[in-house]
């Protein structure tokens, strides 16, 4: 039996929950599709606090943050399908046709608008070129977190953590609290990849060593990991011959980056930003007419508060979506010193929009300037800027006349 709805939201994590609730508040009929048995996404296994400071003004654990939205979800008439996979999506006279794989068999759904809130996935050992066998004991940080926090099983007793991403540092602390010995956190870059607060609270407070400009080049042992080879790296992050050392361990935890999970969107041949690995979208999260993307599927965020914000924007826009003549857009370009800026384009006319960006390298006191031609739209001074920390500026375009094809440039100027 097929399902007909106004808005289909794919993904029941923080972005999907926010999008579904926002769409329902606009009066839309909403279908929420989640592949796991429970809603909440990654938040279910994040037992540490720090979530919701911006949105709720207090530090919440991941499940507590998710529960705020689940409580709100129960007050709506949103149709929820869990343990359901989206096999295919394609255009249809009714909008979009979605093929679903459920525990009861194949089903079809038809929606006027679709919101992709599929989140992101972790890079694995093979994606970063670690040599050696494939022994048990090599896990991503998220998998180690799932074993520890959900299954109650310690992934190892002597652990090496590769990468200083936030989840890697959080797991260094978590494993230490559970009685494991963390041999060290190794980072190929010259600076930590995660937030400074996690460096202080997770590593320094627990005397866990952080080794910069070092990486894992080889694994030893079979069927269980016995040791890893550590080597120093040069400025191009290539291993330096003669610097190798062996570190005994029975678990290698990888925290080496996240990739937006957009395979479904890619089958529709939408443009993908080569830097964010998410789709090119406007301030409403619209990728193309009737298709929206939000949260970590659009670009990897530092804070779940921003993930929820983008979900609400996309959900509300999807609920009010109607077919219309081709939309005019101004383009946003990452200028001097900027790694990327999101959204990549602005649907016209535009009002006030949140603009997210990251810088390419660590900077001291700096000024970020947003301009179109010689006209400055906004500027903001920062005491410091770092690539791991995403920044957000509210850009007011209500008094600015933009035309189709105008280029808005975001650049940073050291002071």
């Amino acid at each position: 039996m097929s399902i007909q709805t106004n808005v289909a939201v794919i993904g029941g994590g923080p972005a999907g929950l926010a999008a579904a609730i926002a769409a329902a508040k606009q009066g839309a009929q909403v279908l929420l599709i989640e592949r796991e048995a429970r809603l909440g996404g990654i938040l279910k296994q994040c037992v540490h606090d720090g979530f919701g400071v911006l949105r709720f003004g207090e530090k919440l654990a991941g499940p507590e943050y998710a529960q705020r939205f689940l409580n709100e979800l129960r007050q709506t008439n949103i149709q929820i399908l869990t343990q359901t996979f989206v096999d295919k999506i394609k255009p249809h006279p009714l909008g979009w046709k979605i093929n679903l794989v459920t525990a009861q068999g194949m089903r079809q759904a038809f929606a006027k608008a679709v919101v992709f809130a599929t989140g992101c996935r972790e890079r694995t050992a093979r994606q970063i070129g670690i040599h050696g066998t494939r022994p048990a004991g090599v896990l991503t940080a998220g998998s180690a977190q799932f074993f520890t926090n959900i299954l109650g099983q310690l992934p190892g007793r002597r652990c090496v953590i590769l990468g200083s991403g936030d989840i890697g540092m959080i797991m260094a602390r978590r494993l230490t609290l559970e009685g494991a010995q963390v041999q060290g956190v190794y980072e190929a870059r010259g600076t930590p990849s995660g937030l400074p607060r996690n460096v202080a609270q997770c590593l320094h407070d627990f005397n866990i060593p952080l080794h910069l400009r070092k990486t894992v080049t080889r694994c030893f042992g079979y069927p269980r990991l016995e040791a890893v080879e550590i080597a120093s790296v040069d400025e191009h992050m290539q291993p330096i011959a003669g610097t190798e050392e062996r570190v005994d361990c029975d678990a290698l935890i990888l925290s080496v980056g996240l990739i937006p999970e957009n395979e479904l969107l890619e089958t529709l041949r939408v443009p993908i930003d080569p830097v964010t690995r998410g789709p090119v979208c406007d301030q409403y999260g619209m990728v193309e007419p009737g298709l929206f993307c939000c949260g970590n599927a659009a670009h990897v965020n530092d804070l779940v508060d921003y993930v929820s914000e983008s979900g609400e924007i996309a959900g509300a826009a999807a609920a009010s979506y109607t077919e219309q003549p081709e939309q005019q857009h101004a383009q946003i370009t990452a200028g001097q010193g900027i790694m990327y800026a999101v959204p990549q384009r602005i649907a016209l006319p535009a009002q006030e929009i949140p603009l997210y960006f990251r810088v390419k390298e660590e900077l001291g006191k700096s000024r970020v300037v947003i301009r179109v031609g010689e006209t400055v739209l906004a500027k903001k001074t920062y005491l410091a800027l770092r690539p791991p920390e995403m920044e957000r500026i509210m850009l007011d375009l209500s008094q600015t006349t933009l035309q189709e094809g105008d280029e808005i440039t975001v650049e940073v100027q050291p002071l």
Side-chain angles (χ1 to χ4, degrees):
M1 181 178 177
S2 64
I3 303 170
Q4 291 195 13
T5 187
N6 300 131
V7 177
V9 178
I10 304 174
L17 290 172
I21 293 169
K25 285 181 177 179
Q26 296 291 320
Q29 185 181 9
V30 182
L31 171 66
L32 178 59
I33 304 164
E34 168 56 44
R35 64 187 177 188
E36 295 187 5
R38 293 168 54 206
L39 298 173
I42 195 67
L43 292 172
K44 298 192 297 291
Q45 65 190 52
C46 297
V47 300
H48 56 280
D49 67 4
F51 300 94
V53 175
L54 296 180
R55 186 179 187 89
F56 298 114
E58 57 182 312
K59 292 182 179 180
L60 303 173
E64 290 176 314
Y65 184 94
Q67 194 63 46
R68 299 281 179 102
F69 287 87
L70 292 173
N71 291 341
E72 195 170 356
L73 188 74
R74 293 194 181 101
Q75 307 304 314
T76 70
N77 60 353
I78 294 172
Q79 183 177 359
I80 302 169
L81 293 179
T82 55
Q83 293 183 298
T84 300
F85 289 79
V86 175
D87 173 61
K88 186 183 296 183
I89 179 171
K90 62 182 181 180
H92 188 271
L94 295 175
W96 297 93
K97 177 183 176 183
I98 307 168
N99 288 349
L100 304 174
V101 182
T102 75
Q104 291 74 39
M106 299 290 294
R107 297 187 69 179
Q108 291 181 339
F110 299 90
K112 183 175 69 173
V114 179
V115 179
F116 284 82
T118 46
C120 56
R121 65 176 185 272
E122 297 174 278
R123 295 182 189 274
T124 66
R126 295 301 159 189
Q127 288 177 298
I128 59 173
I130 295 178
H131 297 286
T133 57
R134 301 182 66 179
V138 180
L139 305 92
T140 63
S143 296
Q145 189 180 58
F146 179 79
F147 273 98
T148 306
N149 296 343
I150 301 297
L151 301 182
Q153 298 177 356
L154 201 60
R157 290 288 179 182
R158 292 173 300 157
C159 306
V160 166
I161 297 183
L162 177 59
S164 58
D166 291 314
I167 189 173
M169 293 190 287
I170 288 167
M171 281 310 300
R173 176 181 63 184
R174 187 78 178 98
L175 291 167
T176 299
L177 289 171
E178 290 298 328
Q181 179 185 355
V182 177
Q183 311 283 58
V185 175
Y186 295 85
E187 171 59 56
R189 295 183 174 85
T191 57
S193 298
L195 297 172
R197 75 183 188 199
N198 286 327
V199 176
Q201 296 173 3
C202 300
L203 303 186
H204 294 168
D205 288 355
F206 290 84
N207 298 315
I208 299 171
L210 172 63
H211 304 276
L212 300 175
R213 297 200 180 281
K214 289 181 179 288
T215 191
V216 173
T217 53
R218 189 178 297 273
C219 293
F220 301 103
Y222 192 82
R224 180 77 194 188
L225 182 70
E226 297 175 1
V228 294
E229 181 183 82
I230 304 289
S232 299
V233 298
D234 58 23
E235 62 273 16
H236 303 295
M237 291 199 289
Q238 297 301 310
I240 301 173
T243 63
E244 299 88 353
E245 59 177 310
R246 181 184 171 110
V247 176
D248 292 336
C249 61
D250 62 3
L252 172 62
I253 311 297
L254 304 174
S255 179
V256 289
L258 302 169
I259 304 172
E261 198 161 348
N262 284 315
E263 285 75 14
L264 274 172
L265 268 174
E266 289 174 356
T267 64
L268 298 172
R269 302 188 182 280
V270 302
I272 300 294
D273 187 314
V275 180
T276 65
R277 301 290 294 273
V280 174
C281 58
D282 65 17
Q283 69 268 36
Y284 305 111
M286 190 158 75
V287 181
E288 63 176 57
L291 280 185
F292 298 80
C293 187
C294 60
N296 286 341
H299 65 112
V300 177
N301 292 256
D302 301 336
L303 303 177
V304 71
D305 309 72
Y306 292 155
V307 168
S308 298
E309 178 184 56
S310 75
E312 287 175 332
I313 293 171
S320 58
Y321 169 74
T322 55
E323 292 187 29
Q324 53 186 311
E326 187 172 344
Q327 182 80 52
Q328 292 189 328
H329 293 92
Q331 306 301 315
I332 293 184
T333 301
Q336 175 185 326
I338 301 295
M339 183 190 305
Y340 72 77
V342 174
Q344 295 88 348
R345 62 189 182 197
I346 296 177
L348 303 178
Q351 301 296 316
E352 189 177 44
I353 67 168
L355 178 70
Y356 306 96
F357 67 90
R358 293 185 193 269
V359 294
K360 289 182 178 178
E361 58 186 3
E362 282 205 25
L363 298 169
K365 190 175 182 180
S366 309
R367 178 180 293 123
V368 171
V369 179
I370 305 172
R371 66 174 78 240
V372 55
E374 298 301 317
T375 303
V376 174
L377 302 178
K379 56 184 177 180
K380 185 175 180 179
T381 300
Y382 296 84
L383 293 178
L385 288 167
R386 300 177 62 245
E389 297 180 46
M390 188 184 75
E391 302 292 345
R392 174 181 178 275
I393 288 180
M394 289 304 297
L395 184 59
D396 187 0
L397 300 173
S398 59
Q399 305 302 316
T400 304
T401 303
L402 294 172
Q403 304 294 330
E404 166 74 19
D406 280 351
E407 185 175 19
I408 298 172
T409 303
V410 185
E411 61 185 17
V412 60
Q413 304 168 348
L415 297 177

